[in-house]
Amino acid sequence: MSPADDPPEKMLFQLGLRRRGISDQAVLRAMEEVPRDIFVDPADRDAAWRDTALGIACGQTISQPFVVAYMTGQLRLRPEHRVLEIGTGSGYQAAVLARLCAHVVSVERFRTLADTARARLAKLGYDNVEVVLADGLALGEEIGEFDRIVVTAALPEIPPSLIGLLRPDGIMVAPVGPPRGRQTLVRIQSTPDGVERHELFDVRFVPALPGIAREM
Ligand code: SAH
């Protein structure tokens, strides 16, 4: 679609991201190309291009676009990267990542969400995303190592086991803080001298919970 064919709400969406300080051209392009309206509840299609989080199945949420763009930018993705996402939800963040790196493994604890996101991503042609039903807080080494990790559910603290899945020079971005309050977006960078930690800004995410969900 040429810009002239874009619906006005999509142009406002891009403008809003730029106004809020997203300047990474590759991230902006990915945000433009991923059809957010396909990832929201059909009843919320009209609100899909607004900069707000929206409810999805299983009491979860699709994140606010600004936060998705910001977290993606903080990952400093390169085309060869292998990326882990914890908290597939709708699959939207995974789709944005998939446009900017070689391979995405996205982990979700609700079967319904994992199955729906997997089918949606396949239908849209994102064949470099693997959606896995698992507890992202209890991943074994068999999941492999990653250049980048993004957590999209709130953690009380970053588990050392997750840092252990990062390759040297790896970057992880995660919301850290109490489950029902404000969390802080944290960027962890592994360096030869250990782990560097930067606090970015306050966010509000649904909590990361242990185990595969018993309800569907
Ligand atoms: N990234 C998503 C939004 C995520 S909402 C999107 O773009 O739509 C947070 C998701 O994390 C929810 O779907 C929730 O079920 C999932 N989650 C919470 N704890 C988890 C865990 N331990 N392992 C895997 N997924 C988890």
Side-chain angles (χ1 to χ4, degrees), residues 60-61 85 87-90 93 108-110 113 135-136 152 208-209:
Q60 305 304 311
T61 53
E85 177 190 25
T88 311
S90 67
Q93 169 81 75
E108 172 57 53
R109 64 186 288 278
F110 278 99
L113 292 177
D135 176 359
T152 63
L209 299 171

Side-chain angles (χ1 to χ4, degrees), residues 9-34 36 48-52 63-72 92 96:
E9 67 267 28
K10 218 174 148 186
M11 284 167 64
L12 287 173
F13 176 80
Q14 286 293 315
L15 205 61
L17 292 176
R18 284 171 198 272
R19 278 213 186 106
R20 291 204 62 182
I22 305 295
S23 56
D24 185 318
Q25 289 303 318
V27 171
L28 284 167
R29 205 172 316 121
M31 295 295 294
E32 182 168 18
E33 286 164 347
V34 176
R36 191 168 188 257
W49 297 100
R50 284 190 212 141
D51 192 24
T52 53
S63 308
Q64 179 190 348
F66 166 70
V67 175
V68 172
Y70 186 85
M71 288 173 88
T72 305
Y92 178 67
V96 173

Side-chain angles (χ1 to χ4, degrees), residues 36 39 54 56-64 68 71 85-97 106-111 113-114 117 120 132-139 150-155 205-213:
R36 191 168 188 257
F39 290 82
L54 294 166
I56 57 171
C58 306
Q60 305 304 311
T61 53
I62 174 172
S63 308
Q64 179 190 348
V68 172
M71 288 173 88
E85 177 190 25
I86 298 189
T88 311
S90 67
Y92 178 67
Q93 169 81 75
V96 173
L97 297 170
S106 183
V107 177
E108 172 57 53
R109 64 186 288 278
F110 278 99
R111 184 182 297 276
L113 292 177
R120 181 180 282 146
V132 178
L133 176 70
D135 176 359
L137 304 179
L139 296 171
V150 59
V151 183
T152 63
L155 298 167
F205 275 82
V206 294
L209 299 171
I212 306 261

Side-chain angles (χ1 to χ4, degrees), residues 133-199:
L133 176 70
D135 176 359
L137 304 179
L139 296 171
E141 281 174 5
E142 66 283 356
I143 192 98
E145 286 194 314
F146 296 89
D147 302 292
R148 303 292 186 253
I149 299 178
V150 59
V151 183
T152 63
L155 298 167
E157 213 9 275
I158 296 181
S161 60
L162 214 48
I163 297 177
L165 299 178
L166 265 187
R167 285 188 177 142
D169 295 324
I171 296 176
M172 169 162 28
V173 177
V176 177
R180 258 161 266 290
R182 286 209 153 263
Q183 304 106 26
T184 303
L185 207 53
V186 170
R187 186 179 76 224
I188 294 281
Q189 176 137 25
S190 71
T191 74
D193 306 323
V195 163
E196 274 176 19
R197 179 183 172 118
H198 299 274
E199 304 206 336

